[in-house]
Amino acid sequence: MQTEQLSLLPAPNTPPKIVNSHSLPTEQKLYPKLELRDYQKRAIGQIYRWYRWGKKSVMLVSPTGSGKTLTASQIVKDAIAKKCKVLFIVHREPLVDQTASTLIKYGVNSETIGYIKAGYPQPSGGELIIVASIQTLARRQYPQGIGLVVFDECHTTIFYKSARQLIYHYARAPVVALSKVKFLHLTATPFRTKPKEYFGNEIEAVVKAPDLKELIQKGYLVPARHFGYNGIADFSKLETGSDGDFKNSQVALAVGDRHYNEQIVRLFFEICPRRKAIAFAASVEQSLLLVTLFKEKGIAIEHIQAETSIEERRQIFARFKLGITQIITSVGTLTEGFDEPTVEAVIIARPTKSPALLIQMCGRGLRLSSATGKKDCLLLDFGENFKRLGRIDAARKVSLCPRATVKEREVQLKSCPNCHAQLNIFCQICPECGYVFTSDKESEPEDNYAAKFGEFLDAETLEKITYIRAQRKTRFTKNLPPDELWQLWEQRYPRNLLYNDWLYQAVFRGDRSTAAQQKFLSYLYSISDRETWIKYQMQLEFGSKSSISTTRLQWWEVLQLPFDSTAEQVKVRYQELARVYQSDDERIKLLNWAYQESESDRLLSLHQ
């Protein structure tokens, strides 16, 4: 599939002189062909069509990890191949060098690039591409002869006052639609928290790459598993600031408590203690506290903040890539421009009302990693954000118009009172622990701290899990081999991963008693006597941290009777022991099992 050429006008002034043109390779070598995915080619074609149809300002919405910068690099290369000078704007100083390095990586010659950032001299004017920090550019003379202006992270950059001034300067018209310069706006998260801020003033058209869910389904990103927990801190009284998000000072205070952060560390160790992770804090103080708490547990963790030098960052990132450092924590410096694919978990240690911020944080963990072959990324939300804003792979509308001011509505989820998994409000059976909802109005237990950290499930995944858990239960009931369950899943849901913890307690629905374990052991031994296989199946049902034994008990041992006792002797002994253990549920269940086993043995001997 051929990419359409960019129908950009040459720069309005005299075409710029190329720096050291005598030493540059041929155009074919200067601009090598990039390997674009089909959806990237389609996106570029759609952008060019909008330009041909007279639109001057187009926004490309492309999720984190989808190759947004690669797509933009091809457009930049097409532009400079037509001698159209490009101004590429980023909103933070460290991103200037990073963006230029990415353009060079994707085939742009370094000698054609100029820089506008603190500490750099003003470009000479002969460069074909100028990468600029919006803050520094506001204090400098605007480059001349620009034909294409690219705003990276436009959900942030174009809402600066200096950005609007720059747009109107290059448009040379009171409205962008009359501009002779073209604009390209790049973002993975086209959302604003301020109702009065919208994109329609500066942008005329939108081109969308596939959303996160489609990219995951096609194998371009790893699946995201959402885990959340309610009750670690009280966020109900946080006030909304002028930017539409919670007030920073209040958020920092709400999450600065040592107990709150100790729960983050505890639950990380409970869920994924060996995974490489990045953590997002609300303040430098909270980030440093997390460093202290994780180090106390023996975790190699490092902290990054705005003042961290570029060289120190490179060293931290290098140690993280090599696995020397397991966790990097920061406030906001990892939300943009951090593209390490080996991230296996994201710790969201703060609340937010911004969908853009939440998706930016989580998106850092979804890249594929050929080095580690990771299968998924765990998103650990400690700020009730998934409950407030929904899953990051949920469908969201992209609009250029102002959004109506409506009463904020929380995502319709409910919490299992038994294991605290966050579920669709219409779910009748908890897929995590098997709890059966008898009423949608049941209240949650008061002691939230003791509850299990739960996974947020979309309706489609919930349906799949409910089905496969029911199948596991059926196989137990009918005494069928449990291993065939994976073949059934593969046939029914090809290219979908089946996680072991989705089958946790599928048979006994939360009952980890000795009686339940003995029932399951009887089932397993009827199929195979392989100890390692039996242990695996037991852990799958009851959990690896439970007190599990693969040793089968005998009913007469439990009842403390000879194995050839009569039915009447068994009944009398049961009554005696039941009186002794009247308040011990565990013992009563075990007695019930022993009594049933004795009856089964008796019936079996009669048939023989």
Side-chain angles (χ1 to χ4, degrees), residues 326-563:
Q326 183 179 344
I327 300 176
I328 299 178
T329 178
S330 75
V331 177
T333 56
L334 299 177
T335 54
E336 296 162 348
F338 177 74
D339 300 323
E340 176 52 53
T342 60
V343 173
E344 300 169 307
V346 178
I347 300 170
I348 308 157
R350 53 156 298 165
T352 181
K353 295 179 72 175
S354 167
L357 177 57
L358 179 62
I359 295 171
Q360 287 281 359
M361 290 188 291
C362 295
R364 299 296 136 189
L366 302 186
R367 295 179 185 274
L368 301 174
S369 173
S370 57
T372 62
K374 71 179 184 183
K375 300 297 183 182
D376 56 34
C377 180
L378 303 191
L379 309 178
L380 312 182
D381 173 28
F382 298 92
E384 301 179 359
N385 300 297
F386 297 148
K387 181 180 179 181
R388 187 180 304 111
L389 302 171
R391 293 166 55 94
I392 65 165
D393 55 5
R396 288 177 170 85
K397 292 183 179 180
V398 177
S399 175
L400 299 179
C401 302
R403 63 185 177 92
T405 303
V406 296
K407 185 178 180 180
E408 190 172 304
R409 182 178 64 86
E410 287 191 341
V411 179
Q412 288 194 318
L413 299 173
K414 65 181 178 183
S415 182
C416 173
N418 182 50
C419 73
H420 253 251
Q422 299 298 312
L423 312 171
N424 184 287
I425 193 171
F426 299 108
C427 179
Q428 293 181 326
I429 298 177
C430 173
E432 289 294 325
C433 68
Y435 176 82
V436 180
F437 289 86
T438 57
S439 170
D440 289 336
K441 297 181 179 180
E442 291 190 31
S443 60
E444 297 181 357
E446 294 182 4
D447 185 12
N448 288 335
Y449 294 104
K452 180 177 178 288
F453 199 80
E455 180 173 4
F456 286 77
L457 301 167
D458 59 50
E460 182 182 352
T461 305
L462 180 60
E463 182 181 351
K464 295 175 182 177
I465 295 173
T466 303
Y467 166 78
I468 206 66
R469 288 175 65 84
Q471 288 297 314
R472 182 166 169 85
K473 172 78 172 179
T474 299
R475 304 193 77 75
F476 166 75
T477 304
K478 296 183 177 181
N479 209 49
L480 298 173
D483 290 341
E484 295 176 3
L485 198 69
W486 279 261
Q487 299 171 13
L488 182 63
W489 175 274
E490 180 62 29
Q491 292 170 3
R492 192 177 180 94
Y493 308 117
R495 296 188 303 176
N496 282 256
L497 294 174
L498 173 58
Y499 296 101
N500 284 349
D501 53 342
W502 285 351
L503 300 176
Y504 175 58
Q505 295 189 0
V507 176
F508 291 96
R509 310 298 172 87
D511 184 359
R512 291 194 290 263
S513 65
T514 304
Q517 293 184 30
Q518 288 300 312
K519 287 179 184 178
F520 204 56
L521 277 173
S522 297
Y523 159 66
L524 297 175
Y525 274 110
S526 71
I527 295 167
S528 172
D529 59 358
R530 290 176 292 140
E531 289 291 334
T532 54
W533 177 83
I534 289 173
K535 183 176 181 180
Y536 166 73
Q537 292 292 341
M538 290 290 288
Q539 290 179 344
L540 200 60
E541 176 63 27
F542 299 105
S544 58
K545 294 182 180 179
S546 300
S547 53
I548 296 174
S549 172
T550 56
T551 302
R552 295 181 67 183
L553 297 175
Q554 302 297 339
W555 62 264
W556 56 86
E557 295 173 343
V558 174
L559 294 173
Q560 304 169 28
L561 286 172
F563 70 92

Side-chain angles (χ1 to χ4, degrees), residues 65-305:
S66 65
K68 172 169 55 73
T69 309
L70 172 59
T71 304
S73 296
Q74 182 62 60
I75 294 173
V76 168
K77 289 170 64 177
D78 288 346
I80 59 179
K82 289 179 172 289
K83 302 299 185 291
C84 175
K85 194 170 181 179
V86 179
L87 175 62
F88 201 113
I89 297 172
V90 298
H91 73 289
R92 291 195 290 114
E93 295 281 336
L95 295 177
V96 173
D97 291 330
Q98 184 172 321
T99 300
S101 297
T102 302
L103 291 171
I104 293 168
K105 172 185 174 182
Y106 291 141
V108 174
N109 190 282
S110 60
E111 295 184 62
T112 66
I113 301 177
Y115 302 84
I116 294 180
K117 64 172 291 188
Y120 279 59
Q122 188 74 9
S124 64
E127 299 84 357
L128 285 176
I129 307 171
I130 297 175
V131 184
S133 158
I134 186 69
Q135 294 95 340
T136 304
L137 185 59
R139 300 190 296 270
R140 300 275 188 92
Q141 182 180 356
Y142 291 155
Q144 300 300 308
I146 298 297
L148 172 66
V149 179
V150 181
F151 280 94
D152 196 19
E153 308 293 354
C154 71
H155 60 278
T156 297
T157 48
I158 67 170
F159 292 98
Y160 292 153
K161 181 179 179 181
S162 56
R164 289 194 175 94
Q165 292 174 343
L166 183 144
I167 289 171
Y168 297 141
H169 168 82
Y170 283 115
R172 296 189 177 182
V175 291
V176 174
L178 302 177
S179 172
K180 292 186 177 180
V181 173
K182 289 183 170 60
F183 298 89
L184 176 63
H185 303 273
L186 309 175
T187 183
T189 51
F191 314 109
R192 297 293 293 175
T193 51
K194 286 184 179 180
K196 293 183 180 180
E197 289 187 341
Y198 59 99
F199 297 97
N201 285 332
E202 284 77 27
I203 299 172
E204 299 174 285
V206 176
V207 172
K208 291 181 64 178
D211 59 20
L212 278 174
K213 191 165 189 176
E214 184 177 348
L215 290 170
I216 290 170
Q217 290 173 341
K218 291 182 178 296
Y220 292 124
L221 298 174
V222 299
R225 299 188 65 193
H226 298 64
F227 290 81
Y229 187 83
N230 303 329
I232 291 183
D234 182 10
F235 303 122
S236 63
K237 297 180 181 179
L238 293 179
E239 298 176 3
T240 302
S242 59
D243 62 353
D245 203 347
F246 293 125
K247 290 183 177 180
N248 290 331
S249 58
Q250 293 186 5
V251 172
L253 186 62
V255 300
D257 178 66
R258 183 181 179 90
H259 176 71
Y260 171 83
N261 291 281
E262 285 175 341
Q263 298 310 306
I264 292 175
V265 175
R266 178 182 66 81
L267 289 167
F268 177 84
F269 272 87
E270 181 179 311
I271 296 166
C272 54
R274 295 181 181 84
R275 291 207 176 204
K276 289 175 66 175
I278 52 176
F280 294 94
S283 66
V284 172
E285 291 74 19
Q286 186 197 12
S287 182
L288 292 173
L289 178 56
L290 285 171
V291 169
T292 299
L293 295 174
F294 272 110
K295 281 186 175 180
E296 289 176 357
K297 296 291 185 179
I299 292 289
I301 180 172
E302 297 192 67
H303 161 81
I304 289 180
Q305 60 189 65

